[in-house]
Amino acid sequence: MSISKSFSPVKVILLFLSMAVLCSLPFVVSSFILRIATGIMMWIGLALSWNMLGGYMGYISFGHGASFGVGAYIAGMLMTQLHLPFFGALAIAGILTYVFAALVGYPTLRLSGSYFAIGTWAFAEMMRQLVLVLEITGGPEGLRLPPMLNDNFFYFVMLGLALLVFLVAFLFFEHSDFGLKVKAVREEETAARTLGLHTTWVKNQVFAISSMFAGIIGGAFAYWITFIHPDSVLGPLIADQMVIMVLLGGIGTLFGPVLGAIVLYVGNQYMLVMWGQSSAYLIILGLAICLVILFLPEGLMSIPRILGGSRNGIFTRLLSRSKKSNI
């Protein structure tokens, strides 16, 4: 399907209305709501970047947070030690994260399945420990960036980055030959290699591109909060939330990570406001993921299709599952 056929007049109108609402948001909401909206945009970009690797190519990574942290520290050190402007530091952070991921991905992507997932998790933990002992990064004391007290600025930065990652996913993973090659690797890598596809190059490019966007967003996050620590930008919870957001919304889809990021982040912030720093969030999150995996394995994006498939679509599916379990 061509790109032009993907846009009907109704979709174009809805797109412009959505952009108008998003661009006018900073001028009509409170500072508290604006910070939540900024966080939503950040996590949408991160979920979309992880979906390039985990959804379109099928390589489940628990080390994507390492790219986020590397980008944050590179941008932070360039701004504090070399006094580069923010956007210049952000661009360099993205390029260096791309190169860094390409070098790491070459040996790591020789693994697959659970071995790849464990390997990326171990690498992310290694990076966290390394940053903790390096003096140039501030070690356990962290790194403080020059403050920028402008909520509107950071909202538009995160909005622009989220739109950029969404556009790249739409153009290169949904409507291009490159996207078809990536999906061929996901479906049957051996067959794709037999047909002449350079699977190693494809996998490395996806790994590096997805990591690059995570690094750029990490650099923007570092400037936003002005202080970073290995536990805050290289902790395992960052990558875990990316994975959960994509699984919750719908892995391998374009809008699934967007929906998953909104639902999870808003739910998290609501629980923080209501209960403070409580472990109840993790309990409810775990329960929600179990329910989604059991009854909506394709994520929240599958709800309209299930309900619209037949009058009793969801009940038919539940009945068929129960019959299979009794066989």
Side-chain angles (χ1 to χ4, degrees):
M1 183 174 60
S2 64
I3 297 177
S4 60
K5 292 181 181 179
S6 301
F7 289 101
S8 64
V10 176
K11 291 182 178 180
V12 172
I13 293 173
L14 290 175
L15 178 62
F16 278 103
L17 288 176
S18 301
M19 288 303 303
V21 171
L22 291 174
C23 291
S24 61
L25 194 64
F27 309 104
V28 297
V29 300
S30 65
S31 178
F32 174 74
I33 299 297
L34 185 60
R35 287 186 66 85
I36 292 179
T38 304
I40 290 174
M41 294 304 156
M42 184 190 82
W43 282 106
I44 286 175
L46 288 174
L48 284 168
S49 70
W50 187 91
N51 190 51
M52 294 176 182
L53 178 66
Y56 291 117
M57 201 173 73
Y59 272 64
I60 305 300
S61 170
F62 287 99
H64 220 58
S67 300
F68 178 84
V70 167
Y73 268 99
I74 291 176
M77 289 187 294
L78 290 174
M79 293 180 66
T80 56
Q81 299 176 18
L82 299 182
H83 306 289
L84 290 183
F86 168 64
F87 287 108
L90 203 63
I92 295 175
I95 294 172
L96 293 181
T97 305
Y98 175 91
V99 175
F100 174 77
L103 294 175
V104 171
Y106 185 76
T108 307
L109 288 167
R110 297 178 182 273
L111 305 173
S112 61
S114 58
Y115 296 102
F116 176 78
I118 295 172
T120 52
W121 173 84
F123 176 78
E125 182 61 22
M126 181 195 72
M127 288 301 303
R128 188 175 72 87
Q129 296 298 328
L130 180 63
V131 171
L132 276 170
V133 299
L134 290 177
E135 292 185 5
I136 193 174
T137 62
E141 297 181 0
L143 185 67
R144 189 172 298 277
L145 282 72
M148 173 68 168
L149 304 177
N150 189 332
D151 290 337
N152 289 4
F153 171 78
F154 288 109
Y155 170 77
F156 283 113
V157 167
M158 291 300 185
L159 174 61
L161 291 176
L163 291 175
L164 175 62
V165 182
F166 182 88
L167 187 63
V168 170
F170 176 77
L171 294 176
F172 293 98
F173 288 86
E174 292 279 347
H175 296 88
S176 73
D177 292 339
F178 178 74
L180 293 176
K181 293 176 182 179
V182 173
K183 294 172 184 177
V185 172
R186 178 188 66 190
E187 297 302 324
E188 184 50 66
E189 184 175 344
T190 303
R193 191 183 302 113
T194 303
L195 294 174
L197 184 63
H198 196 337
T199 58
T200 302
W201 180 85
V202 171
K203 292 191 296 183
N204 209 22
Q205 285 300 305
V206 175
F207 187 77
I209 291 171
S210 63
S211 298
M212 177 187 69
F213 286 122
I216 293 174
I217 296 173
F221 175 76
Y223 193 33
W224 181 30
I225 64 173
T226 71
F227 175 79
I228 56 175
H229 186 272
D231 291 335
S232 65
V233 296
L234 285 165
L237 189 59
I238 295 174
D240 294 347
Q241 287 190 95
M242 294 186 210
V243 177
I244 294 171
M245 285 173 177
V246 176
L247 293 177
L248 180 64
I251 190 169
T253 63
L254 185 61
F255 287 97
V258 177
L259 179 60
I262 294 173
V263 171
L264 188 63
Y265 186 78
V266 171
N268 181 18
Q269 295 303 306
Y270 177 79
M271 293 179 196
L272 285 175
V273 171
M274 295 299 295
W275 300 331
Q277 294 289 345
S278 172
S279 59
Y281 163 68
L282 297 176
I283 298 174
I284 296 176
L285 176 62
L287 179 61
I289 295 301
C290 290
L291 292 175
V292 169
I293 292 175
L294 285 173
F295 300 108
L296 295 171
E298 298 177 12
L300 297 176
M301 288 294 294
S302 63
I303 291 178
R305 180 175 56 80
I306 294 174
L307 296 178
S310 63
R311 185 175 180 181
N312 298 313
I314 191 167
F315 299 105
T316 303
R317 171 172 288 199
L318 292 175
L319 181 62
S320 64
R321 283 173 179 260
S322 63
K323 288 181 177 179
K324 290 180 180 179
S325 63
N326 293 328
I327 295 177

